[in-house]
Amino acid sequence: MIAVRYHDSTKHHFNRFARSLGYLDWATQPNPFRRYEGAPLRALSHEPLAGDVPYEALFTGGVPAQPITEHSIGELLRCSMGLSAWKQYGQSRWALRVNPSSGNLHPTEAWIVHDGRVLHYAPREHALEERCVFSSRTQRVGAAEGQSPDHFLVALTSIIWREAWKYGERAFRYCQHDAGHAIGALRLSAAMLGWTLRLLPEWSDAQIAALLGVDRDADFGDAEREEAECIAVVGRLAPSGVEGDPGSGIRDPEGLVGAARGGSWFGRANRLSSDHVDWPIIDEVTEATRYPGIGDQGSGIKKAEPGSRIPDPGSRPETLSARDIIIQRRSALSFDPSGYLQRDAFLSMLDRLQPGAPPWDAIDWPPNVHLLLFVHRVENLTPGIYACLRDPAVLDEWKAAMRPELLWEAATPGLFLLVPIDAGRIANRLSCDQDIAEDGFFGLAMIARLEQPLRDRGEWFYRRLFWECGLIGQVLYLEAEAAGGRATGIGCYYDDPVHDLVGLSGHAWQSLYHFSMGLPVEDTRLTSEPGYLWEGRTR
Ligand SMILES: Cc1cc2nc3c(=O)[nH]c(=O)nc-3n(C[C@H](O)[C@H](O)[C@H](O)COP(=O)(O)O)c2cc1C
């Protein structure tokens, strides 16, 4: 399988990193902002919406649904893909975003399809670029004249070159992590507005590309291409889907693709770098993992059981604002090792990773990713290496696949102490010798079932495994902020040494992402400005 070959050849080893240039070519640093020059720009409202929605409600629901208007769609984007701050150090100034990204390179572009328009989100301006206007009969189904519609579509693409510029061959993995974070960010922003969001397996990647016009060669010239990742329906819908809505483009992609193809298109993609380095293995894995659509992959899709374990709201005050937590999310650069996390807070964070509540209702597959935790500083919990299973059925499999001497002592349902040990140094070493993996409350490796789902469903599922990791990361990023801590995604880790630690061999299970959470140490050398001039000062 090409995906497995790609995965193997982009592993970091103690004595050798995955192939990359090995240095940063500043002359070709990609522009982080894609624009479609010549496309009309539709400014989005600067007025916040739903500022009083409590943080807990993102997961427990009960938020009144906002009407679907350009204002509320703008708020969805502002609180998922918008700018969170501008940072400055000396002469360098750079933007951070609500969604995290490996190396802050932001390969993920967001698109809206609404009211007969295909719109590209321009986060610097907080505006929508009108790429296409088409006959909108299809998209108006479900809304009487003068009423707001029930739903719209949001789609994501990746500009893989942005990550490849820095990370070379491993970049495809990071693009997929970032797409997963973006799906999580969009899902939780939608929850803040009282909406559901659900990926649409009915759409093939080729259909998404056609709808968004990223397959229009003439509009790109020598500009970097965008790779279709996913499309989702957002709105005031039952999570199970939109029944009896045949013209909506939700279940019949071709109707909407045809309408867009026949529409009027505007703008040409800007070129992001003056020169590029080719990484043929990325082209190969990109092609091999394109989703062919539901028709070609049979009935392999298994629906996750909705509502199997809704997290307990826990003991946190209800006064935390969802919007504030979402916008203040940052990656920690280092942790203060004197910080401790309370046991209840830790366990309620793990509960949030169980399927059922948002953001897990955005995806239609059951958990394939489970956690190997390095617990350093959680009160009343023995420091050590733990397994956290997001599906109890995996227990016997993991026991059989891992070293026989591991303890498997149940700490709580789903959480098992494997080795009571101060695992700080181990986590640090495994995570490319990064102190953030050691100095926090806990670190973790996300261990995915790799080979079997790719065989059962197709290589396209490789991308989705990373999306699942990104969703886990996105939940933990927000949970960290809500608990008064901070988190950091860790894409740099030594792959096989993680497997060796617990005795995993072969391709059945592979570590796809690391993560860490702790008490942050602020970098006081940086100055910080708000993401948008019209908003107040951020921290
Ligand atoms: C997939 C992924 C991998 C990352 N890997 C690392 C890492 O190995 N080390 C690190 O210090 N930060 C890592 N980060 C954090 C990014 O550097 C950070 O998200 C980016 O600089 C943007 O900053 P922000 O998260 O504060 O918005 C990672 C983030 C993501 C999403």
Side-chain angles (χ1 to χ4, degrees):
M1 277 188 285
I2 293 169
V4 174
R5 190 158 52 77
Y6 167 79
H7 195 72
D8 276 348
S9 68
T10 53
K11 286 180 172 173
H12 287 331
H13 302 273
F14 281 146
N15 61 348
R16 174 169 53 83
F17 283 103
R19 267 179 297 277
S20 69
L21 273 191
Y23 63 92
L24 294 177
D25 178 10
W26 292 111
T28 60
Q29 184 183 20
N31 179 345
F33 300 112
R34 158 89 353 130
R35 289 296 308 273
Y36 283 88
E37 286 152 3
L41 197 63
R42 301 168 73 91
L44 290 165
S45 171
H46 300 173
E47 285 304 311
L49 276 173
D52 53 355
V53 171
Y55 172 70
E56 293 293 331
L58 296 182
F59 307 96
T60 56
V63 180
Q66 294 281 343
I68 292 172
T69 61
E70 209 154 275
H71 184 184
S72 56
I73 292 173
E75 180 72 339
L76 173 86
L77 292 166
R78 197 270 162 273
C79 295
S80 53
M81 308 298 290
L83 304 189
S84 54
W86 284 93
K87 296 278 173 183
Q88 185 150 2
Y89 179 64
Q91 295 302 305
S92 304
R93 188 166 184 268
W94 65 96
L96 297 178
R97 302 196 194 183
V98 171
N99 56 316
S101 166
S102 187
N104 199 32
L105 293 161
H106 288 286
T108 319
E109 298 288 321
W111 297 78
I112 298 289
V113 182
H114 168 60
D115 197 18
R117 290 184 175 81
V118 177
L119 303 151
H120 170 249
Y121 183 50
R124 184 177 41 193
E125 295 77 10
H126 187 51
L128 288 168
E129 290 181 302
E130 205 169 81
R131 271 285 280 152
C132 175
V133 179
F134 61 90
S135 160
S136 65
R137 201 187 59 79
T138 47
Q139 281 237 303
R140 289 214 172 103
V141 172
E145 207 54 50
Q147 268 180 9
S148 79
D150 285 340
H151 63 267
F152 59 97
L153 303 179
V154 61
L156 297 175
T157 58
S158 294
I159 304 178
I160 299 173
W161 163 248
R162 284 211 180 105
E163 289 284 333
W165 168 74
K166 180 171 180 185
Y167 295 111
E169 293 189 346
R170 203 167 156 103
F172 181 78
R173 298 183 180 205
Y174 297 148
C175 290
Q176 301 309 320
H177 287 125
D178 285 9
H181 277 288
I183 294 165
L186 282 161
R187 173 63 192 104
L188 293 170
S189 181
M192 185 189 79
L193 296 161
W195 299 338
T196 61
L197 179 151
R198 183 171 65 81
L199 295 190
L200 292 171
E202 292 81 357
W203 285 71
S204 71
D205 286 357
Q207 287 168 325
I208 299 172
L211 176 68
L212 305 181
V214 295
D215 66 351
R216 293 168 57 87
D217 294 346
D219 295 351
F220 283 82
D222 54 10
E224 299 76 4
R225 300 304 289 251
E226 297 186 29
E227 174 68 18
E229 298 290 0
C230 60
I231 191 161
V233 59
V234 189
R236 300 179 291 168
L237 307 167
S240 55
V242 188
E243 305 307 333
D245 195 0
S248 66
I250 294 176
R251 292 193 299 163
D252 63 331
E254 277 310 318
L256 202 52
V257 167
R261 276 217 175 98
S264 305
W265 288 82
F266 310 100
R268 277 176 64 89
N270 63 340
R271 185 169 170 162
L272 307 175
S273 290
S274 55
D275 204 1
H276 306 104
V277 177
D278 284 336
W279 299 101
I281 197 170
I282 292 188
D283 300 337
E284 275 178 59
V285 73
T286 301
E287 193 175 333
T289 57
R290 282 196 184 120
Y291 177 56
I294 216 156
D296 287 9
Q297 48 99 31
S299 55
I301 290 207
K302 288 186 211 136
K303 295 266 179 198
E305 288 299 313
S308 50
R309 207 168 144 202
I310 305 283
D312 177 2
S315 55
R316 288 202 205 94
E318 285 239 333
T319 48
L320 290 174
S321 145
R323 194 177 194 278
D324 289 351
I325 296 287
I326 285 172
I327 291 178
Q328 79 175 42
R329 184 214 62 77
R330 298 279 183 286
S331 293
L333 301 176
S334 61
F335 292 125
D336 176 348
S338 68
Y340 268 79
L341 182 64
Q342 288 184 353
R343 179 188 162 102
D344 286 353
F346 174 68
L347 296 179
S348 95
M349 286 175 185
L350 296 183
D351 263 355
R352 295 263 194 249
L353 305 180
Q354 291 296 327
W360 303 107
D361 56 354
I363 60 174
D364 65 358
W365 61 90
N368 279 282
V369 180
H370 310 276
L371 312 180
L372 201 58
L373 284 154
F374 304 99
V375 174
H376 311 313
R377 293 170 196 85
V378 177
E379 281 176 349
N380 301 320
L381 203 60
T382 308
I385 303 174
Y386 287 75
C388 172
L389 304 180
R390 299 176 57 241
D391 172 0
V394 166
L395 178 60
D396 289 342
E397 258 183 279
W398 268 31
K399 275 185 177 171
M402 292 184 180
R403 291 183 188 284
E405 63 267 31
L406 300 177
L407 285 183
W408 293 100
E409 190 179 294
T412 62
L415 182 67
F416 301 90
L417 176 61
L418 304 184
V419 191
I421 188 179
D422 176 352
R425 289 300 307 152
I426 299 172
N428 182 322
R429 179 75 178 119
L430 291 176
S431 302
C432 292
D433 305 286
Q434 300 189 73
D435 291 345
I436 43 167
E438 173 175 3
D439 293 340
F441 311 138
F442 65 93
L444 59 93
M446 300 187 201
I447 310 288
R449 190 192 291 281
L450 185 82
E451 203 171 21
Q452 202 56 47
L454 268 55
R455 285 201 193 289
D456 291 349
R457 294 162 180 262
E459 297 204 46
W460 54 270
F461 204 72
Y462 184 61
R463 299 192 192 192
R464 277 140 184 90
L465 293 174
F466 285 93
W467 300 355
E468 192 176 327
C469 292
L471 283 169
I472 292 173
Q474 194 62 23
V475 171
L476 291 178
Y477 260 121
L478 296 189
E479 285 286 287
E481 298 289 339
R486 188 145 283 178
T488 303
I490 300 181
C492 190
Y493 56 88
Y494 299 113
D495 297 68
D496 285 336
V498 179
H499 307 142
D500 294 344
L501 178 73
V502 286
L504 290 172
S505 59
H507 293 106
W509 298 96
Q510 294 278 298
S511 182
L512 295 195
Y513 192 20
H514 283 203
F515 206 81
S516 185
M517 188 187 296
L519 186 66
V521 179
E522 294 297 331
D523 187 343
T524 51
R525 297 167 306 169
L526 305 186
T527 53
S528 188
E529 295 293 325
Y532 297 104
L533 277 179
W534 56 85
E535 295 184 351
R537 289 196 71 82
T538 55
R539 56 181 174 140

